Amino acid sequence: MNALNQTPVPSPCISICEMGPDGLCKGCLRTIEEISQWGRADDDYKRAVWQDIRLREQQIGFP
Amino acid sequence: MTLPSGMHVFERGWLSSNNVLFTGPGPATLVDSGYVIHAAQTVALVEHALGGQPLERIVTTHLHSDHCGGNAALQARFGCRVAVPAADAANVRDWHATAMNFHLTGQQCPRFTAQDTIAPGDELLLAGQVWQVLGASGHDAHALVLYCPTERILISADALWRNGFGVIFPELEGDSGFIEERATLELIDTLEVDLVIPGHGPMFTDVKDAIKRAFNRLNFLQASPVRNAENAVRVMLKFLLLERQQMLLADVPALVASIPLMETIRTRYLDKSNDELAEWAVQGLVRAGAAKRDGVMLRNYDL
């Protein structure tokens, strides 16, 4: 999904919702702070988080 | 959309409900606690936002597993008080009927205890603001929503989403539900609301449009009640798929057969065998982009 182009920016949550030992959710790859802030965040913040998610995917080697 | 200070919204997916945390002033309070398998993350989110302060109260809008599934874990962690709808208090105390209700839809929820009850007409002080407790029967007979007239915010649980509302479960068991949901939407329509925090999905400000869409949806369902039943079947299978993330296609018929409400719907509304119902449900989810067939597996998917 190209989340960066959508308005409003969709949530990365895929209902796995389990924090990993690296401080990232195993499902959406967000930190607790990012998940916590998402509700009150504007689209700029959300797009920045999505970009960080993409970087984390590459680092972890997600397909 | 700015939230008043002391108020946090955790937007979860479609398995766990959204959670609204009031950190203060006053006793820290959480409205709705998500589904049991996500309880650890719910506790982590609450701990993170409270920064060492204890959670003192939980408010449960209605006794569905995706809204009260974190109550037990949060009570164990914080020793907080739980408030449930007054009409459900006896069932929560005994638990037997409550456990049966969860079993009806193939869902799970650990037992918790309630120390307080709330009822339509009550007022709650949350982060220093007065919130009104309003009856919101329809999706669930005893469901409640919370309204803050000063901030013009509505915590709508499953009575109103940006696009629609939750399955009208009472109708599936031979009770009235459409009339009640209509009354709930009409009540919400009379309120001055700038921001709705729904039970699932993002918060939204196009409130009047959402209400209009909800009325259209309700008219559609009420015109032919089998539609509500068909929707319920797809929703229940999707819920299981969200919970498990994947399942063997070959296991779906047995899974459907094990869920009492699926059987009730099948015999009351649909002229299908159990296996036909299972295949129909799978096809419906795949067509809607909510699931994917992958060899022998059925996998969760979201567009």
Side-chain angles (χ1 to χ4, degrees), chain B residues 73-90:
Chain B
L74 287 162
Q75 260 186 333
R77 170 68 182 83
F78 292 107
C80 49
R81 300 176 72 88
V82 173
V84 297
D88 290 323

Side-chain angles (χ1 to χ4, degrees), chain B residues 244-257:
Chain B
R244 299 165 188 223
Q245 292 291 311
Q246 63 191 23
M247 57 185 74
L248 283 165
L249 280 161
D251 285 348
V252 178
L255 194 54
V256 167

Side-chain angles (χ1 to χ4, degrees), chain B residues 26 28 37 70 78 106 163 194 223-224 255 281 297:
Chain B
I37 68 169
F78 292 107
N163 282 298
D194 291 340
S224 180
L255 194 54
M297 302 301 293

